[in-house]
């Protein structure tokens, strides 16, 4: 991948659409823009009407074209946006024209990569952008947008700066007289490290929240065969997605559907009924049920009699076929009838309550993915080591905190070990 090539891609969705937006990024696009516009003078960030013509002068399409001059563009390079009609034939013709101009099709994520290399975004912002582009529901949009606009990187930068400062003071304790340093500096840096450790620990504990918002809140229906799991599943999804029959063991595989509840993405899974069986396929299905249960944020345990079993916070006990039950003895269960619709609203309210109690008021949760979670976990362990193994040796303490800061730097994609070293004394005021 060459970062100085001129690259292009369709930035809008491919397919029949009113407008297609083709983005071009390169080092000097000024003359090319003048050529397609047929005028020498133009302003950057100004929309121009353009009769886009191929090499033979034949009209390709009537477009709007905008020129963004480096560094004031998404990628930091020169950028041109061509807004053509969205028909695939038009877009393909423009692609052929651009290829003939010594430009090439961008690789996936190459525009963002340039934005990162040109300092327009750090890796954490890029993670936020990726989450935003994936957003299907309103809550996902809100969550990702904050991250993309730098809320997460602000927090990472703040943590990192504090760690650099702590490491610098720890190193200074070795090299300077106590009189030259702020009062009680050793206690202060230890306390500060403990504070950071606890903040990072809290953020890590919110990983599940981040996962549930970005990838969906997992709800799994489990229970014995024939209790009506698939029937309830269909009620919740709103159509007959899963097969229902009075034959025990109808559902053998996991059947999933995504629904939007109050702006949250919900992954709802119907599973194979639990029973002792010799059937090879059914057994595999039952194993899958168990695996789904492990990944569940909420389990709907379905029965069809007045069962009274203990439950945990992650489970809602549902007693189905209420149309056949005379007395409702279980006060902790929700009685439903997938047949008549009785109790389905109550069940939905209970689901909502569980979901909101896990996911609401988590404005401060970081958008964590596997990469950032791993690096943040490493950071936590470095701080933990700094605190727990501290025996008056500030050298080792500083080293742990520096490594912790390095890990945060890796999250942002902005740091090398030298960076920390350089920062150590230059940015500090040692009290004199
Ligand atoms: N009377 C009554 N029958 C129901 C109700 N819900 C489901 N049934 C019937 O119970 C039978 C089993 O329903 P399913 O939804 O297939 O049950 P399941 O738990 O998914 O069963 P498996 O997939 O075999 O584990 C079907 O004949 C349904 O029509 C209900 O609320 N009342
Ligand atoms: Mg079923």
């Amino acid at each position: 991948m060459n970062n100085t090539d001129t690259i292009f891609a369709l930035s809008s969705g491919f397919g029949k659409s009113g407008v297609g937006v083709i983005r071009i990024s390169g080092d000097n696009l000024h003359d090319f823009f003048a050529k397609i516009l047929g005028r020498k003078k133009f302003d950057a960030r100004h929309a121009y009407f353009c009769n886009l013509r191929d090499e033979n002068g034949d009209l390709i399409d009537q477009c709007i074209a905008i020129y963004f001059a480096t560094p004031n563009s998404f990628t930091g390079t020169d950028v041109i946006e061509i807004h053509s009609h969205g028909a695939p034939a038009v877009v393909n013709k423009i692609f052929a024209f651009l290829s003939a101009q010594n430009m090439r099709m961008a690789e996936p994520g190459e525009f963002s990569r340039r934005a990162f290399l040109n300092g327009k975004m750090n890796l954490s912002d890029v993670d936020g952008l990726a989450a935003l582009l994936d957003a299907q529901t309103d809550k996902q949009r809100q969550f990702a947008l904050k991250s993309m606009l730098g809320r997460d990187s602000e927090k990472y930068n703040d943590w990192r700066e504090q760690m650099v400062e702590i490491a610098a003071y720890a190193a200074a304790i070795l090299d300077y007289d106590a009189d030259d340093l702020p009062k009680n500096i050793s206690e202060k840096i230890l306390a500060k490290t403990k504070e950071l450790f606890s903040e990072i620990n809290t953020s890590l504990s919110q990983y599940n929240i981040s996962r549930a918002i970005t990838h969906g809140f997992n709800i799994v229906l489990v229970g014995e065969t024939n209790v009506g799991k698939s029937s309830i599943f269909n009620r919740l999804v709103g159509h007959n997605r899963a097969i229902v029959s009075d034959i025990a063991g109808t559902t053998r595989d996991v059947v999933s559907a995504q629904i939007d509840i109050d702006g949250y993405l919900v992954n709802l899974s119907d599973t194979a009924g639990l029973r002792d069986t010799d059937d090879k396929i059914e057994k595999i299905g039952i194993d899958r049920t168990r695996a789904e249960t492990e990944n569940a944020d909420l389990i709907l345990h379905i029965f069809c009699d007045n069962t009274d079993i203990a439950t945990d916070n992650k489970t809602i006990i549902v007693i189905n076929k209420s149309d056949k039950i005379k007395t409702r003895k279980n006060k902790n269960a929700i009685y439903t009838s997938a047949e008549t619709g009785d109790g389905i609203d109550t069940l939905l309210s209970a689901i909502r309550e569980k979901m909101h109690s896990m996911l609401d008021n988590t404005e401060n949760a970081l958008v964590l993915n596997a990469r950032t979670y791993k690096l943040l976990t490493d950071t936590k362990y470095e701080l933990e080591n700094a605190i727990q193994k501290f025996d008056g040796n500030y050298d080792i303490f500083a080293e742990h905190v520096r490594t912790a800061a390095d890990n945060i730097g890796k999250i942002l994609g902005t740091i090398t070990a030298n960076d920390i070293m350089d920062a150590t004394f230059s940015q500090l005021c040692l009290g004199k």
Side-chain angles (χ1 to χ4, degrees):
M1 203 182 296
N2 186 325
N3 293 315
T4 55
D5 286 353
T6 299
I7 55 170
F8 63 85
L10 182 67
S11 293
S12 54
F14 193 79
K16 186 178 170 182
S17 57
V19 179
V21 179
I22 293 161
R23 208 185 244 164
I24 307 169
S25 151
D27 274 352
N28 185 359
L29 299 177
H30 184 276
D31 294 351
F32 176 72
F33 194 71
K35 187 172 113 183
I36 59 170
L37 233 52
R39 56 193 292 170
K40 286 201 180 99
K41 285 199 164 173
F42 54 83
D43 294 321
R45 295 160 163 262
H46 192 102
Y48 289 95
F49 177 80
C50 159
N51 277 314
L52 187 66
R53 295 179 186 280
D54 67 13
E55 310 87 272
N56 304 320
D58 291 335
L59 187 67
I60 300 175
D61 192 15
Q62 292 194 316
C63 308
I64 299 290
I66 306 168
Y67 172 68
F68 298 86
T70 180
N72 302 315
S73 69
F74 170 63
T75 53
T77 63
D78 271 6
V79 164
I80 292 172
E81 270 184 21
I82 296 175
H83 300 207
S84 68
H85 292 95
V90 172
V91 172
N92 285 332
K93 187 77 184 166
I94 296 176
F95 281 0
F97 168 64
L98 297 177
S99 299
Q101 312 300 308
N102 211 12
M103 301 180 183
R104 70 168 167 85
M105 184 80 107
E107 315 234 345
E110 201 173 352
F111 286 91
S112 309
R113 191 189 166 87
R114 286 190 176 181
F116 168 65
L117 290 173
N118 290 324
K120 286 277 166 181
M121 298 177 108
N122 59 48
L123 286 190
S124 169
D125 302 336
V126 175
D127 283 342
L129 171 66
L132 181 66
L133 295 181
D134 276 341
Q136 296 177 54
T137 69
D138 201 43
K139 294 287 183 190
Q140 288 179 312
R141 178 190 62 79
Q142 290 170 10
F143 195 54
L145 192 63
K146 270 190 230 152
S147 172
M148 190 197 73
L149 295 178
R151 194 271 325 251
D152 289 3
S153 45
E154 235 170 68
K155 194 178 239 183
Y156 290 129
N157 269 320
D158 174 48
W159 280 342
R160 193 183 146 256
E161 275 165 22
Q162 291 187 52
M163 288 173 201
V164 169
E165 199 175 12
I166 291 168
Y169 276 121
I173 289 170
L174 295 167
D175 295 342
Y176 287 74
D177 279 348
D179 292 349
D180 290 338
L181 295 166
K183 236 176 123 207
N184 299 332
I185 189 67
S186 31
E187 290 82 2
K188 277 183 191 156
I189 59 173
L190 204 60
K192 200 90 201 129
T193 310
K194 284 180 182 162
E195 238 173 71
L196 279 171
F197 170 81
S198 128
E199 269 182 50
I200 289 173
N201 213 10
T202 307
S203 284
L204 282 168
S205 69
Q206 292 172 329
Y207 180 49
N208 254 345
I209 293 166
S210 174
R211 196 250 326 122
I213 295 177
T214 45
H215 298 291
F217 183 78
N218 298 329
I219 304 181
V220 181
L221 290 100
V222 295
E224 288 177 13
T225 52
N226 253 347
V227 293
K229 297 180 295 301
S230 300
S231 308
I232 293 178
F233 174 84
N234 288 343
R235 279 274 181 188
L236 294 175
V237 173
H239 61 267
N240 288 333
R241 168 83 177 75
I243 300 171
V244 166
S245 90
D246 57 2
I247 302 165
T250 302
T251 308
R252 293 174 151 220
D253 210 341
V254 178
V255 181
S256 298
Q258 292 194 322
I259 51 177
D260 180 331
I261 301 183
D262 300 343
Y264 288 115
L265 179 73
V266 172
N267 301 315
L268 194 65
S269 299
D270 179 25
T271 59
L274 300 169
R275 67 167 172 179
D276 280 333
T277 174
D278 291 330
D279 186 300
K280 215 167 124 188
I281 307 289
E282 205 179 340
K283 269 190 176 164
I284 297 172
I286 292 171
D287 283 346
R288 287 192 180 179
T289 302
R290 298 219 163 89
E292 281 299 304
T293 314
E294 272 164 30
N295 293 325
D297 294 305
L298 178 62
I299 296 167
L300 306 183
H301 200 155
I302 322 283
F303 298 89
C304 60
D305 53 32
N306 276 314
T307 313
D308 194 6
I309 65 159
T311 180
D312 57 24
N313 199 25
K314 215 174 111 172
T315 308
I316 296 176
I317 303 286
V318 180
I319 299 180
N320 189 39
K321 308 199 184 183
S322 62
D323 49 298
K324 286 187 167 171
I325 295 172
K326 289 206 178 70
T327 47
R328 302 186 176 198
K329 291 183 187 152
N330 187 338
K331 296 281 169 263
N332 299 318
I334 293 171
Y335 284 80
T336 61
S337 167
E339 194 96 339
T340 67
D342 170 47
I344 297 292
D345 280 351
T346 316
L347 175 58
L348 259 172
S349 304
I351 292 172
R352 280 202 165 89
E353 207 179 297
K354 292 270 185 205
M355 199 181 66
H356 284 286
S357 83
M358 175 176 168
L359 303 181
D360 285 1
N361 307 317
T362 47
E363 288 81 18
N364 295 326
L366 296 165
V367 175
L368 290 172
N369 55 30
R371 182 187 78 88
T372 46
Y373 182 74
K374 162 84 173 62
L375 285 165
L376 202 55
T377 307
D378 292 349
T379 309
K380 179 186 111 171
Y381 285 128
E382 289 298 338
L383 295 182
E384 195 170 30
N385 277 331
I387 298 161
Q388 287 184 353
K389 293 191 181 157
F390 184 64
D391 57 0
N393 184 336
Y394 283 97
D395 232 358
I396 295 174
F397 176 86
E399 188 55 36
H400 281 305
V401 179
R402 247 181 246 131
T403 313
D406 266 356
N407 282 319
I408 300 285
K410 283 181 195 159
I411 291 178
L412 293 164
T414 51
I415 191 189
T416 64
N418 284 339
D419 190 13
I420 296 266
M421 296 305 290
D422 292 345
T424 302
F425 285 104
S426 60
Q427 68 170 4
L428 285 181
C429 163
L430 286 175
K432 278 213 167 173

